[in-house]
């Protein structure tokens, strides 16, 4: 059987070293160790140090583990907001965060643009009472990315508000300046190329202090995964409940592999592969780039409109052992989404482009 190559935006292609790390993990009986042991603390600490280096995290940042990135939306709303949030929405994921704010009885403000568009931050006006600004670096449903300079500009304009960044499907690619961000979060099954089942929450002391203040005022901030409790455990490199120890171990190994390869190198390769994919989509007859503004095109999730039926195209490409993603939601039959994560090589992207060239013609 020929192995398939996955270009899906999550779950995604598994980073090439993960199978080997998993074998070692079982040989070393990692899944059986206690999460209160020194061995686990060492794994957590190593993961923290690697993530800190990759993202150049300031000293006042903690790295916390949750069940998923979806969980972090709830945690941020419960722990860092008394009343008002502000959401930049341009697709399904950014919208879901807003919906959670409504469900938790916050007063979320909505700044929404149509799918396929990004934001003109100079046009955004955020009311004074807003406590937390919520942005999505990479809107996976539409392939729209928010330039990091725009994210930083928001912080420059609103330094007293918490700024939190969904980088679920793009971490570790964007070079965010974490002195201009208060929290960011991701899941491991996207650009890190790991099996699903772990959310990672990078969060600074300002967020912790906000949670402490809210608790002292009587706000319910959650139970086992409330921020104050997660942070207290983090200080001992422990977690409140039994965590996904294998997932954390694998994250420690893959982050190490990425550091050994070089973060700049990884980012350059991503850019190179993205250029190739956009050029292909632009030139292949029957495909069109969905995101009009080049500055808002995601490097890691390339979305194309298809002239023919997208589901049929995806099937024909799958018959050649290449798995590409379908359009999201209402765009399921009219778009394809191609993930460009570090797990797939330049050679594999070139192979995909060749297959697309032949296949779209016949679709
Ligand atoms: C996938 C995704 C999420 C949710 O991640 P889960 O791992 O399913 O919790 C949130 N935001 C974005 C942008 C995503 O792509």
């Amino acid at each position: 059987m020929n192995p398939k190559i996955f270009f899906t935006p999550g779950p995604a292609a598994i980073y090439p070293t993960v199978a080997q790390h998993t074998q070692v993990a079982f040989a070393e009986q990692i899944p059986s160790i206690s999460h209160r042991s020194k061995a686990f603390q060492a794994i957590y600490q190593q993961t923290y140090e690697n993530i800190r280096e990759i993202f150049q995290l300031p000293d006042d940042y903690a790295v916390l583990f949750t069940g998923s990135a979806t969980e972090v939306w709830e945690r941020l709303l419960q722990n860092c907001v008394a009343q008002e949030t502000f959401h930049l929405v341009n697709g399904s994921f950014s919208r879901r965060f807003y919906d959670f704010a409504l469900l938790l009885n916050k007063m979320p403000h909505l700044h929404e643009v149509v799918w396929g568009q990004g934001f003109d931050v100079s046009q955004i006006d955020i009311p004074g009472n807003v406590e937390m600004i919520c942005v999505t670096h990479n809107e996976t449903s539409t392939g729209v990315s928010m330039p990091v300079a725009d994210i930083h500009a928001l912080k420059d304009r609103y330094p007293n508000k918490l700024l939190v960044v969904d980088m679920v499907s793009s971490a570790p690619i964007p070079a965010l300046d974490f002195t201009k961000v208060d929290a960011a979060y991701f899941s491991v099954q996207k650009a890190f190329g790991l099996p699903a089942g772990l959310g990672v929450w990078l969060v600074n002391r300002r967020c912790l202090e906000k949670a402490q203040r809210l608790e002292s005022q009587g706000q319910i901030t959650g139970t086992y995964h409330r921020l104050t409790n997660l942070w207290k455990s983090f200080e001992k490199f422990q977690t409140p409940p039994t965590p996904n120890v294998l997932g954390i171990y694998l994250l420690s190994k893959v982050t190490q592999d990425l550091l050994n390869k070089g973060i700049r190198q990884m980012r350059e390769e991503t850019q190179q592969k993205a250029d190739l994919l956009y050029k292909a989509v632009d030139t292949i007859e029957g495909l069109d780039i969905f995101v009009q503004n080049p500055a808002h095109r995601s490097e890691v999730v390339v979305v194309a409109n298809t002239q023919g039926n997208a589901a049929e195209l995806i099937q024909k490409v799958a018959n050649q052992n290449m798995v590409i993603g379908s359009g999201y939601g209402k765009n399921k039959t009219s778009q394809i989404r191609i993930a460009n994560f570090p797990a797939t090589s330049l050679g594999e992207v070139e192979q995909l482009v060749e297959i697309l060239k032949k296949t779209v013609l016949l679709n």
Side-chain angles (χ1 to χ4, degrees):
M1 193 187 81
N2 262 336
K4 299 179 175 115
I5 303 176
F6 282 85
F7 289 91
T8 44
I14 294 298
Y15 198 73
T17 57
V18 170
Q20 175 67 27
H21 291 316
T22 306
Q23 275 188 3
V24 172
F26 279 88
E28 292 183 355
Q29 298 181 295
I30 299 293
S32 301
I33 66 171
S34 162
H35 62 293
R36 302 288 172 228
S37 66
K38 286 216 162 9
F40 174 74
Q41 286 173 302
I43 293 169
Y44 192 154
Q45 182 167 0
Q46 186 66 57
T47 313
Y48 161 70
E49 282 168 9
N50 291 350
I51 286 179
R52 192 188 145 121
E53 191 170 341
I54 288 174
F55 294 101
Q56 299 287 303
L57 295 181
D59 286 344
D60 67 340
Y61 258 84
V63 175
L64 309 177
F65 299 117
T66 61
S68 65
T70 298
E71 182 188 336
V72 179
W73 285 333
E74 188 175 288
R75 298 293 159 251
L76 281 166
L77 291 164
Q78 289 174 321
N79 286 272
C80 302
V81 183
Q83 289 189 308
E84 293 188 38
T85 53
F86 191 93
H87 300 255
L88 272 60
V89 171
N90 60 346
S92 280
F93 291 99
S94 44
R95 177 79 201 194
R96 209 166 294 163
F97 195 178
Y98 171 82
D99 290 341
F100 280 21
L102 288 174
L103 283 167
L104 289 172
N105 276 333
K106 307 294 175 186
M107 287 190 279
H109 298 258
L110 179 64
H111 179 91
E112 191 169 24
V113 298
V114 299
W115 284 38
Q117 284 186 13
F119 304 97
D120 178 351
V121 290
S122 68
Q123 297 299 309
I124 292 175
D125 197 26
I126 302 181
N129 285 340
V130 165
E131 299 151 69
M132 186 168 83
I133 307 168
C134 309
V135 305
T136 304
H137 173 260
N138 192 64
E139 181 41 87
T140 320
S141 61
T142 63
V144 174
S145 207
M146 187 162 174
V148 292
D150 287 352
I151 295 175
H152 300 157
L154 272 179
K155 187 63 169 181
D156 290 338
R157 278 176 58 202
Y158 301 102
N160 296 327
K161 303 187 189 303
L162 296 175
L163 176 62
V164 305
V165 184
D166 177 330
M167 55 183 333
V168 179
S169 56
S170 53
I173 304 302
L176 274 177
D177 175 354
F178 277 85
T179 65
K180 298 196 174 205
V181 162
D182 297 292
Y185 48 94
F186 56 87
S187 290
V188 296
Q189 78 278 12
K190 307 226 170 152
F192 277 95
L194 287 161
L198 184 66
V200 182
W201 183 10
L202 318 178
V203 56
N204 73 7
R205 203 164 268 283
R206 272 190 77 196
C207 292
L208 175 69
E209 285 162 4
K210 178 77 187 262
Q212 288 166 335
R213 217 161 40 243
L214 293 175
E215 281 175 8
S216 72
Q217 292 162 3
Q219 175 161 318
I220 292 167
T221 54
T223 58
Y224 70 112
H225 267 182
R226 67 189 187 279
L227 181 53
T228 51
N229 207 39
L230 278 164
W231 195 296
K232 200 166 74 196
S233 294
F234 160 73
E235 286 177 336
K236 296 175 287 182
F237 293 116
Q238 289 191 356
T239 54
T242 316
N244 180 350
V245 176
L246 179 61
I248 296 168
Y249 171 88
L250 293 175
L251 181 60
S252 78
K253 295 297 173 187
V254 165
T255 48
Q256 192 61 55
D257 292 335
L258 293 174
L259 284 165
N260 293 344
K261 178 187 174 84
I263 301 306
R264 183 181 298 177
Q265 169 80 13
M266 173 193 65
R267 287 175 176 155
E268 280 170 11
E269 282 177 19
T270 302
Q271 180 67 59
Q272 196 183 4
K273 292 185 294 167
D275 290 346
L276 200 70
L277 284 165
Y278 277 108
K279 190 161 157 258
V281 171
D282 200 25
T283 52
I284 293 173
E285 209 169 318
L287 293 182
D288 290 301
I289 298 172
F290 175 49
V291 179
Q292 294 303 310
N293 183 344
H296 292 160
R297 284 176 194 157
S298 167
E299 269 182 87
V300 286
V301 179
V302 176
V303 178
N305 293 323
T306 59
Q307 261 164 40
N309 183 297
E312 285 170 20
L313 174 62
I314 290 166
Q315 185 55 52
K316 285 178 191 159
V317 173
N319 294 342
Q320 300 165 81
N321 285 327
M322 296 276 174
V323 187
I324 54 178
S326 63
Y328 200 91
K330 59 191 177 194
N331 294 327
K332 202 170 176 66
T333 55
S334 61
Q335 291 186 340
I336 55 172
R337 290 179 306 152
I338 303 168
N340 173 32
F341 292 154
T344 48
S345 66
L346 178 62
E348 288 169 335
V349 170
E350 285 168 344
Q351 263 177 277
L352 174 67
V353 167
E354 286 314 307
I355 285 176
L356 282 174
K357 274 183 189 160
K358 286 185 302 186
T359 314
V360 175
L361 260 183
L362 304 172
N363 193 45

